[in-house]
Amino acid sequence: MTLIVARLHGNRITLVGDTKISVHPSNEGDTRKDARVFSNSILKLSLARRDLAIGVAGDDPTHALETVSPLFSHTVCLPALLDGLSSYSSRNIGTAFIVATHSPNTLWRVDHTGIEETTHRKVAWEGDRAAYGTFRGLYEDWETTSFRDDHNFRMISSMQRMTTEFFSQDSSVGGHSVHIASSEHGFEYIPGDSAIFSQTPGNHAFFRLQYMVGSEATPGAFGCFIPGVRTHALFRHQKPWSQLCVAADTEAEFITEAKRRHQQDMIAGPRIHLPDGL
């Protein structure tokens, strides 16, 4: 299952979602320098263009993103995009899309029942209703704190709480959290760390990713760097359904190889400093 939430706050839009980016347990042993095999890696939040972000939920988001990707062209108007997504959902019942546009800021939900604009409600979401209720409660908990106006933080912290096994209250949400936010320049992936705090072989207390994100000519690129491992996942700009592997020992080497071999401009976010032994 999936939980995707998009929220309009002021003149900005933030999208968060859990996403199935995982590593096969057979490679969670002591030989952490060996090639790591990613299994069923799916990027469910797609930065299709600087002015268009798409979330997809359903049984086969990989097929969905690849099939509807021609609709992401600048030559396709918004009504045609929404009609195309609706047509796909009607043929693949169970697949739903969250659509966010920048300038103008709009929010939409599309599934087999039709197209619904939710801009006036300032939120669009897809997933289990109980899971969304939990997420909304976590988001609203920040209202009485000093973070009440930092909606990006409230969104990503609430999703991270949902995907952390120590705190999660809903089995339909899990994996790693992905974060897209808009600025005056349009949508962008937000780099940073994502950690799953759970007992996994070879990791003891947590499984951690360092996100590399697209910039310059390839804003839709997205990379997953695992400290201490040689092989990492890369999703290319305008091809979020297709995972490549990049061999690198450091974040800097990952960025260099993504550019040299795959023509993807990437940047890294700040590191989270974790206690020794984690």
Side-chain angles (χ1 to χ4, degrees):
M1 195 60 180
T2 297
L3 180 62
I4 297 170
V5 183
R7 181 173 286 274
L8 175 63
H9 44 91
N11 61 349
R12 299 284 190 263
I13 292 177
T14 300
L15 301 94
V16 293
D18 70 324
T19 197
K20 190 174 183 180
I21 300 173
S22 57
V23 175
H24 196 279
S26 65
N27 289 311
E28 283 286 346
D30 294 330
T31 56
R32 294 177 61 78
K33 290 292 184 181
D34 288 352
R36 193 70 68 111
V37 178
F38 287 81
S39 63
N40 300 318
S41 298
I42 299 168
L43 196 59
K44 298 178 185 178
L45 275 183
S46 170
L47 201 162
R49 304 191 311 248
R50 282 291 189 189
D51 62 343
L52 177 66
I54 304 287
V56 59
D59 294 334
D60 195 349
T62 298
H63 179 268
L65 283 172
E66 184 173 9
T67 302
V68 304
S69 62
L71 299 171
F72 301 162
S73 168
H74 282 285
T75 63
V76 178
C77 64
L78 179 59
L81 165 68
L82 295 171
D83 285 341
L85 297 180
S86 178
S87 177
Y88 181 91
S89 293
S90 67
R91 300 191 307 271
N92 299 271
I93 295 175
T95 298
F97 299 93
I98 298 298
V99 179
T101 67
H102 179 267
S103 295
N105 292 326
T106 64
L107 297 173
W108 305 80
R109 182 183 179 276
V110 181
D111 67 4
H112 70 280
T113 67
I115 302 166
E116 179 187 15
E117 182 175 2
T118 65
T119 311
H120 62 287
R121 294 202 295 268
K122 298 186 177 182
V123 65
W125 65 275
E126 175 57 36
D128 180 77
R129 183 171 294 277
Y132 174 66
T134 300
F135 175 90
R136 185 175 60 185
L138 293 169
Y139 178 85
E140 291 174 351
D141 283 346
W142 292 105
E143 189 65 31
T144 58
T145 73
S146 59
F147 294 98
R148 61 176 300 169
D149 295 324
D150 190 343
H151 296 279
N152 276 324
F153 172 80
R154 291 171 63 182
M155 289 283 281
I156 191 62
S157 65
S158 299
M159 183 56 71
Q160 287 174 338
R161 182 80 175 257
M162 293 289 293
T163 57
T164 299
E165 289 188 17
F166 285 166
F167 306 108
S168 178
Q169 302 176 45
D170 196 291
S171 60
S172 69
V173 182
H176 289 268
S177 303
V178 175
H179 181 195
I180 292 176
S182 69
S183 68
E184 62 272 19
H185 305 297
F187 290 113
E188 58 188 3
Y189 284 116
I190 305 301
D193 280 352
S194 176
I196 296 177
F197 291 87
S198 62
Q199 292 287 115
T200 57
N203 272 329
H204 305 297
F206 76 100
F207 175 70
R208 177 182 168 200
L209 295 178
Q210 175 77 12
Y211 289 149
M212 312 286 148
V213 302
S215 65
E216 304 297 335
T218 57
F222 192 89
C224 307
F225 181 89
I226 304 175
V229 174
R230 178 64 179 166
T231 305
H232 315 275
L234 170 66
F235 298 88
R236 289 167 291 172
H237 177 67
Q238 296 183 334
K239 293 188 176 181
W241 62 86
S242 176
Q243 176 204 309
L244 300 177
C245 290
V246 174
D249 290 319
T250 66
E251 293 99 323
E253 186 180 358
F254 180 99
I255 291 170
T256 298
E257 289 299 295
K259 178 66 172 179
R260 184 174 72 88
R261 292 184 176 273
H262 305 294
Q263 297 74 54
Q264 303 297 295
D265 295 310
M266 311 286 292
I267 60 173
R271 295 287 296 272
I272 294 177
H273 296 288
L274 297 171
D276 291 341
L278 289 184

